Amino acid sequence: MAVGEEHGTADVLDVAVVGGGIAGLAAAKELLEAGLTVAVFEESAVFGGKAANRTEWVQTPEGPDRWWRWVSRLEQGVRSAGGRLYADTPVLGLEEGPEGWRLAVLVGGDVEEVSAQSVIVAAGARGQGLLFPGWAKPGVITADAARRMIFRDRVLPGRQAVVVGAVDEALWTARELKLAGATEVTVVRADHPVEEIEGVAGLLKGYAEKWPEGTRDALSERSLSEIPGDIHVEIDWVMGAATGTSGVETVTVVLAHGRIPAVELVQLAGVRFGYAEALGGWVPICGPDMQTTQPGLYVAGGTAGADTMTAEWLSGRLAGTAVARRLRPEKGVDDDSVEQLIAAWSRASGPVRAGARLRLATASECPDSAPLSNVWSEEGLSANGRAGVYSFGKRSVEPWTVVCRCEDVTVGDVVTAVEQGARSPDDVKRLTRCGMGLCQARECRSLVAEVMSQVLGKPVDEIPLPNVRFPVRPVLLEFLAGADAGDGTVRSVLSEVKEDD
């Protein structure tokens, strides 16, 4: 294993951490303190994830600090403690092996097989798309992209911007845009079910007056409907005395209404999922120790459910602590400390998200006794849907609205596929190529589920996840061809197709 040989580690790592964000680094820190060998694989060029681009203040164990500075110190601490950190190193596959778990890792131009006794997947959560005419046009970006452009690239996305979402993330994104030099920032509702969840907008009430001067608070009175070709945003007045429409000239629209967990790797490993809108949709089922339904496989951060930054950090600590107690019981923390971590995690998540996790853990053991939860695995759904039929609300979603940007598949294409008999995202993919592009359905899977739910009149948690295959990230065939093609995770696409045939 070149990864291990380069740094003199054992042939089998104690723990492999997938994702170098705040949760992955927090987990690595706990593991290193227990004396375990740890490697952290991050697919981007920079460690820290979302926290690396956030300037808000946070109360850290060392005192008040800004998120970006704190996560940078955490990274340096992991390096100093002997952690192996690999940037620009995506993990392409994950499966059980003879000594725990095997990962296929793209290192430079080589695909290498890495073995570890336990794996913590902290791959984060990605910004969610939002269907309305024009959302796929240039100039429509996610909140994470806006923050990255401002903080890392030192580029202002636009002097006039509309931030979409009546949630806390929209508040902070609007603040960052204004402080970076935007002349006018308007915040509008996404008209998405996530905005109705109690707790996701906890900071919005009472904080609007603290926004930088020039930021327009439109949260209580407007709703986004359309972006016409002249890059003006039409705002429907849906509350108050005003009627008609009001145009807001803009060069940037920022989608900040919600995130969906990045779960492709754990799905490939065969874990069970539960549905919780408050956590971003389908999330891996796990207990307070963050272990999934597959022994030795843990989740943390956004992969365990979209949550606050503090909650994601605490989930990483919990996952690292649980693995350390399992592999090094003599060095693990005591039960009281774990209970304090769990309590702090629940407080940081809030009662709605914490309650959703409790219901999902119950659903794993007794599916029929867990209201408002459904469980999905490779074997299928455990029960009838309980989340409700998806509604676009006041949003204008036309048949020509794009769903899959990679393959230019529209809402009308998805509707036609359903009318022809499609009953799952995989059926839609076979009929339309939706999800077969560069992103492999990572960007459009939630949108397809929303359309199918509305057309079929089914609860959205009766629409399963689309199938995933190795490799979970696009990779050149020449890299796979040079890999060891045994019976392990690293094998060519052609040999996998032959096996399926």
Side-chain angles (χ1 to χ4, degrees), residues 156 196 209 467:
L156 179 64
E196 307 306 319
E209 67 273 13
N467 188 32

Side-chain angles (χ1 to χ4, degrees), residues 11-14 96-102 115-118 326:
D11 289 337
V12 179
L13 293 165
D14 289 327
E96 290 186 84
E99 299 178 85
W101 291 90
R102 292 190 293 205
S115 296
Q117 293 185 56
S118 293
R326 174 172 169 263

Side-chain angles (χ1 to χ4, degrees), residues 282 374-385 461-464:
W282 288 111
N374 200 355
V375 175
W376 176 86
S377 67
E378 293 176 345
E379 287 73 37
L381 295 166
S382 67
N384 294 327
D461 60 339
E462 279 194 33
I463 310 300

Side-chain angles (χ1 to χ4, degrees), residues 127-137 140-142 162-166 188-195 223-227 253-258 260 390-393 395-397 401-403 405 411 443-444 446-448 450-451:
Q128 190 173 13
L130 186 70
L131 292 177
F132 58 88
W135 83 275
K137 292 183 178 181
V140 181
I141 61 177
T142 65
V162 169
V163 182
V164 183
V188 300
R189 289 187 180 277
D191 209 2
H192 190 279
V194 72
E195 294 172 320
S223 173
L224 182 67
S225 72
E226 185 175 358
I227 301 180
V253 175
V254 182
L255 303 181
H257 63 290
I260 53 175
Y390 186 84
S391 172
F392 295 123
R395 268 184 287 138
S396 173
V397 179
T401 302
V402 173
V403 174
R405 294 181 290 183
V411 170
E443 304 296 331
C444 64
S446 65
L447 305 180
V448 172
E450 291 168 3
V451 175

Side-chain angles (χ1 to χ4, degrees), residues 32-63:
L32 290 165
E33 289 177 353
L36 297 166
T37 57
V38 182
V40 181
F41 302 102
E42 169 57 43
E43 69 176 3
S44 70
V46 179
F47 287 91
K50 299 190 301 291
N53 302 314
R54 302 183 82 102
T55 63
E56 303 100 284
W57 286 89
V58 60
Q59 184 64 41
T60 78
E62 297 83 25

Side-chain angles (χ1 to χ4, degrees), residues 206-340:
Y207 270 67
E209 67 273 13
K210 299 181 181 180
W211 294 10
E213 184 179 355
T215 305
R216 295 170 57 183
D217 178 9
L219 286 170
S220 62
E221 55 191 27
R222 296 173 181 166
S223 173
L224 182 67
S225 72
E226 185 175 358
I227 301 180
D230 59 0
I231 68 168
H232 280 65
V233 176
E234 294 297 323
I235 307 296
D236 285 340
W237 293 72
V238 296
M239 295 181 65
T243 58
T245 60
S246 172
V248 179
E249 185 175 356
T250 180
V251 294
T252 305
V253 175
V254 182
L255 303 181
H257 63 290
R259 288 191 172 91
I260 53 175
V263 297
E264 292 80 17
L265 273 177
V266 290
Q267 184 182 349
L268 191 66
V271 306
R272 302 184 76 193
F273 289 83
Y275 192 91
E277 188 71 62
L279 300 174
W282 288 111
V283 295
I285 292 175
C286 62
D289 62 353
M290 311 308 294
Q291 184 170 215
T292 68
T293 52
Q294 292 282 31
L297 179 59
Y298 299 73
V299 289
T303 300
D307 212 330
T308 66
M309 290 291 299
T310 302
E312 292 188 5
W313 167 64
L314 289 167
S315 72
R317 290 192 62 191
L318 277 169
T321 297
V323 176
R325 283 161 61 94
R326 174 172 169 263
L327 298 182
R328 294 286 191 277
E330 72 280 3
K331 295 185 178 181
V333 299
D334 57 74
D335 292 340
D336 290 341
S337 298
V338 173
E339 291 300 323
Q340 291 174 8

